[in-house]
Amino acid sequence: MDRPYSSAMAIHARPLNPFGALVRHRNFRVFWSGQTISQVGTWMQRVAQGWLALVLSNDPFMVGLVAAAGSLPVLLLSLPAGVLADRVNKLRLVTVMQTLFSIQAVALWWFVWSEHITIAWLLALATINGMIQALDVPARQALVIELVGREDVQNAIALNSSGFNLARIVGPSLAAVVIAKAGLAWCFGLNALSFVAVLASLFSIRLPAIIIQRPRLNALEGLSEGLRFIRSSPLIAVLLRLIAVYSVCGLPYLTLMPVLARDVLGLDASGYGMLLSCVGAGAILGALSLAAVGPRIGRGRLLTVFSLIFSVSLLALVFIRTPWAAAVVLFVTGLAMILMTAIINGLLQTLSPDEFRGRVMSVYSLLFIGLSPAGSVAGGAVARWAGVDVAIGGGALALLLYVVWTFWRHPELRRS
């Protein structure tokens, strides 16, 4: 019996346990715990930062611009960061970047607490955060397969998504309480404190010694080599184009959520946090479902279905005028969103050879995070000119049309 068949039989013989990678891999268990705790703080900061931008400027465009400032450095630095991730110890690089995140978080807390914060300082600190993120994300994404192995990578990615979205629920809920009881500044302070957990987890991970081969190409040649590999891999290229359109047309609805909450649904900061929690609740259900199912159902078929559901639910959001209906639609949106992005992430990691994974994931980061400033700025401008409904609905319609075209034009994607 050949090995691929044996591996497939072993995978299908496993119980439907969504937490399998946590049970089987101590390093991933430690990593996931620290990341999830830290993400709670990150989501508290996101809620506070979006609301603070609106309070300081009273301008939807500035809300989008602050979000863009945190993502634009990813557009500029992700590709060099991917080359770096393929040439250094990924765990060490992630640890350094998380330390820098903690310093930035302390600085943001101090500026808000001391009442020195201005929209200019908020933009500057968001930009610094984006620069660190550009170097962190490709290495952190590529590190997952070293923690769990190839067979459990989809389960691990889904669990990472569930942790992220558990934080999406807990973080905004805590942020609403903290804002009401202690003020915006302490959302930033608690985020800074949360980095103690992630740094402790990273220092406790034990991986086999890795021998880093001396690069045979310089950095620019290594970057060109990675881009040639992507161009020569049709399925990887299609997945990356899909995530690019999602980032520009679909993702800005999260940036515009404060405007939707206040100006359309008549909610305050607590209501805004509730809407984000609904997105997170749907995303957790989606992530745990994907973690349990794993490779038992064709990921291409799931990607087709949930890409369509995400686009349609986002389009439906523009017709909603009551908070309870928005909560239901956002729950479905969150579920479909996480299934769509987690499946793309998992396919990219399993389709990429070890020597190219950092560079492939850097392009993924560039498109997923780095292109979102274009969507955020455009969405904010359209919201200022024609209203937030037009901004979200126009992006949703463009994404829907591209999804339909992609799966019609590339039927092999449905079979992947």
Side-chain angles (χ1 to χ4, degrees):
M1 185 178 294
D2 61 36
R3 183 170 296 177
Y5 183 74
S6 300
S7 298
M9 291 293 290
I11 289 170
H12 284 272
R14 290 176 178 173
L16 288 171
N17 180 4
F19 305 104
L22 291 174
V23 173
R24 288 187 287 271
H25 304 281
R26 179 259 179 197
N27 281 331
F28 180 70
R29 188 162 59 247
V30 169
F31 175 82
W32 183 89
S33 300
Q35 290 288 321
T36 302
I37 292 170
S38 181
Q39 286 291 346
V40 171
T42 298
W43 271 104
M44 293 181 71
Q45 177 165 302
R46 288 188 182 188
V47 171
Q49 182 172 286
W51 200 259
L52 181 61
L54 192 59
V55 168
L56 290 173
S57 68
N58 198 34
D59 186 347
F61 177 75
M62 290 306 300
V63 175
L65 190 61
V66 169
S71 302
L72 183 60
V74 180
L75 184 64
L76 302 176
L77 300 175
S78 279
L79 294 181
V83 176
L84 180 65
D86 279 335
R87 296 183 175 204
V88 302
N89 184 303
K90 296 178 181 64
L91 178 59
R92 189 174 302 153
L93 178 58
V94 170
T95 303
V96 171
M97 292 303 110
Q98 293 293 318
T99 302
L100 294 177
F101 272 132
S102 69
I103 295 170
Q104 186 272 348
V106 170
L108 183 52
W109 164 77
W110 182 86
F111 270 97
V112 180
W113 174 75
S114 64
E115 299 184 354
H116 285 84
I117 194 68
T118 63
I119 196 68
W121 274 115
L122 189 60
L123 284 166
L125 289 166
T127 302
I128 292 170
N129 185 278
M131 294 170 67
I132 303 167
Q133 186 178 35
L135 296 172
D136 173 74
V137 172
R140 183 156 43 87
Q141 295 277 357
L143 177 64
V144 171
I145 203 166
E146 295 184 12
L147 300 176
V148 301
R150 191 174 294 272
E151 289 183 356
D152 277 329
V153 70
Q154 185 68 73
N155 180 267
I157 290 168
L159 283 169
N160 273 342
S161 297
S162 70
F164 177 84
N165 287 286
L166 176 63
R168 193 199 294 267
I169 295 175
V170 176
S173 300
L174 283 176
V177 174
V178 171
I179 290 169
K181 300 294 184 182
L184 275 171
W186 290 102
C187 288
F188 302 114
L190 289 173
N191 177 49
L193 188 61
S194 74
F195 281 97
V196 173
V198 71
L199 289 172
S201 72
L202 290 169
F203 280 116
S204 68
I205 289 174
R206 297 291 179 264
L207 290 174
I210 298 173
I211 299 174
I212 305 296
Q213 299 291 335
R214 184 183 179 130
R216 56 186 176 79
L217 304 172
N218 63 40
L220 185 59
E221 291 169 337
L223 176 58
S224 299
E225 181 187 42
L227 295 176
R228 284 197 301 272
F229 168 74
I230 290 170
R231 285 197 298 268
S232 68
S233 308
L235 197 54
I236 289 177
V238 171
L239 290 167
L240 289 171
R241 288 196 295 269
L242 182 57
I243 206 68
V245 177
Y246 159 83
S247 180
V248 172
C249 298
L251 199 56
Y253 86 98
L254 290 172
T255 301
L256 293 170
M257 195 74 76
V259 185
L260 181 73
R262 190 188 71 172
D263 296 349
V264 177
L265 300 174
L267 299 173
D268 58 11
S270 298
Y272 164 51
M274 179 272 294
L275 293 181
L276 288 180
S277 295
C278 291
V279 175
I284 285 180
L285 178 61
L288 291 178
S289 299
L290 181 61
V293 169
R296 291 172 174 83
I297 298 177
R299 286 179 288 178
R301 284 180 291 167
L302 287 176
L303 180 59
T304 305
V305 170
F306 286 101
S307 297
L308 291 170
I309 291 174
F310 174 73
S311 305
V312 171
S313 64
L314 197 57
L315 189 59
L317 186 63
V318 306
F319 300 103
I320 300 298
R321 290 295 180 272
T322 58
W324 68 266
V328 172
V329 171
L330 285 168
F331 178 87
V332 175
T333 302
L335 184 149
M337 175 182 70
I338 210 62
L339 280 163
M340 178 182 177
T341 56
I343 290 170
I344 291 174
N345 189 316
L347 285 170
L348 288 172
Q349 294 227 37
T350 52
L351 290 169
S352 303
D354 292 345
E355 63 270 24
F356 287 107
R357 188 170 297 109
R359 280 165 284 184
V360 171
M361 298 315 295
S362 74
V363 175
Y364 171 83
S365 302
L366 183 153
L367 300 175
F368 188 28
I369 303 170
L371 278 187
S372 63
S376 295
V377 172
V382 173
R384 172 196 275 179
W385 169 66
V388 69
D389 290 347
V390 176
I392 294 175
L397 182 59
L399 177 61
L400 177 61
L401 293 174
Y402 186 80
V403 165
V404 171
W405 179 85
T406 294
F407 288 102
W408 171 77
R409 179 68 178 79
H410 301 281
E412 70 275 11
L413 188 55
R414 299 196 300 270
R415 298 189 294 269
S416 59

